[in-house]
Amino acid sequence: MRGLTTHVLDLTHGIPAADVLVQLFRFEDERASLIKSVRTNGDGRIDLPLLSSEEMWLGEYELLFFIGDYFRGKELPLPEPAFLDKVSIRFGVADVNAYYHVPLLVSPWGYQVYRGS
């Protein structure tokens, strides 16, 4: 498999995070361009890759996860403003023929991200 994928796991409830809005941006000269806006499915994943290897370019990208909206939908009492409302992951693609999987493990108070397989 090649391209870019992601998934979101809700660490507070111990479940995949369904219906999280995820936006993908590409950076050129520090200017961000929105490439795609999608929602996670019931398994916390995006149904199709965010980018195929043919769509990937060398350079910097950003995934923006709207996790505040997700946790509000779970009726968790969040402060206003929420400690984590939108989680931004900015990363680089150095090989357009490689597979980039960027999982997000999240709670209202913290998150972890890594390059998965």
Side-chain angles (χ1 to χ4, degrees):
M1 179 182 279
R2 298 183 300 173
L4 172 65
T5 59
T6 190
H7 76 269
V8 184
L9 297 175
D10 174 346
L11 295 177
T12 300
H13 298 97
I15 60 173
D19 201 35
V20 174
L21 177 61
V22 179
Q23 292 181 333
L24 174 65
F25 295 86
R26 180 170 175 243
F27 282 85
E28 293 182 71
D29 300 322
E30 290 301 311
R31 201 178 80 236
S33 299
L34 178 65
I35 296 174
K36 203 170 276 190
S37 186
V38 295
R39 290 192 174 271
T40 57
N41 62 22
D43 197 30
R45 298 178 182 275
I46 307 300
D47 288 326
L48 299 171
L50 289 162
L51 293 175
S52 68
S53 61
E54 293 79 23
E55 297 171 311
M56 289 178 71
W57 294 74
L58 296 177
E60 290 187 72
Y61 292 84
E62 178 185 30
L63 285 168
L64 187 61
F65 299 87
F66 288 71
I67 59 108
D69 292 343
Y70 167 78
F71 284 115
R72 285 184 199 94
K74 293 286 184 191
E75 299 182 0
L76 281 180
L78 300 179
E80 285 299 331
F83 180 68
L84 293 175
D85 191 38
K86 297 173 186 76
V87 172
S88 168
I89 309 301
R90 193 161 170 179
F91 62 97
V93 169
D95 181 356
V96 296
N97 294 309
Y99 177 49
Y100 288 82
H101 182 63
V102 184
L104 177 70
L105 290 71
V106 69
S107 82
W109 310 108
Y111 65 90
Q112 182 176 6
V113 65
Y114 58 95
R115 182 173 174 189
S117 59

